[in-house]
Amino acid sequence: MKLTRYTDYALRVLIFLAGRDEGLASIRQIADAYGISQNHLMKIVQDLGHAGFVETVRGRRGGLRLPRPAGLITIGSVVRHTEGNGALVDCSTCLIAPACGLPAILSEATEAFMATLDRYTLADVAKRPGAFRALFAV
């Protein structure tokens, strides 16, 4: 399964926030740290905020933070949100679909992939916050 760039960037935002001790981060800080377009991240952060993965604080001293500990946010839940629960392949218009076993196999593979992602949290990914702070010069 190949994840979209949208999911990649969403995970990067969350990893950045998980690697911080305290305080708020700005979209600009995250964009600069990864060399990503700030405008593109704004849309992703807004979506993550609506979904409850990011807490946004408005105002002059505003910014972003995780709404709960990184150990309570699974990678699987983020990927499900950003990728949706669609099938790997759309077999609805395929001539051989009624007799083909491939959709069931792909469904099983997707379930196994997601089960693995469900076993890991942001805390698992950001195990070394000090290393992230050094890399991001935070």
Side-chain angles (χ1 to χ4, degrees):
M1 176 177 212
K2 182 176 180 179
L3 300 178
T4 61
R5 182 167 288 153
Y6 189 92
T7 297
D8 176 24
Y9 289 176
L11 288 168
R12 289 185 196 204
V13 166
L14 296 172
I15 291 166
F16 185 93
L17 297 176
R20 296 178 63 85
D21 282 333
E22 292 288 324
L24 301 171
S26 70
I27 292 174
R28 177 178 294 281
Q29 285 175 314
I30 299 169
D32 288 348
Y34 289 117
I36 299 172
S37 161
Q38 185 176 337
N39 289 335
H40 193 67
L41 279 186
M42 287 173 63
K43 182 171 81 168
I44 293 168
V45 166
Q46 182 180 19
D47 179 43
L48 291 172
H50 286 298
F53 291 110
V54 170
E55 183 178 354
T56 57
V57 178
R58 293 187 177 268
R60 184 166 192 185
R61 298 192 186 267
L64 312 169
R65 64 181 166 219
L66 295 178
R68 56 193 176 278
L72 298 178
I73 301 172
T74 66
I75 303 301
S77 65
V78 176
V79 171
R80 271 188 199 81
H81 172 72
T82 57
E83 293 290 328
N85 289 325
L88 283 177
V89 177
D90 178 15
C91 299
S92 63
T93 60
C94 181
L95 178 66
I96 65 169
C100 183
L102 188 58
I105 293 168
L106 293 176
S107 177
E108 181 182 342
T110 301
E111 288 174 24
F113 178 74
M114 294 308 299
T116 299
L117 295 181
D118 285 336
R119 291 196 325 256
Y120 297 95
T121 67
L122 284 177
D124 296 321
V125 176
K127 283 183 180 180
R128 298 177 35 209
F132 281 110
R133 284 190 296 278
L135 289 169
F136 295 135
V138 175

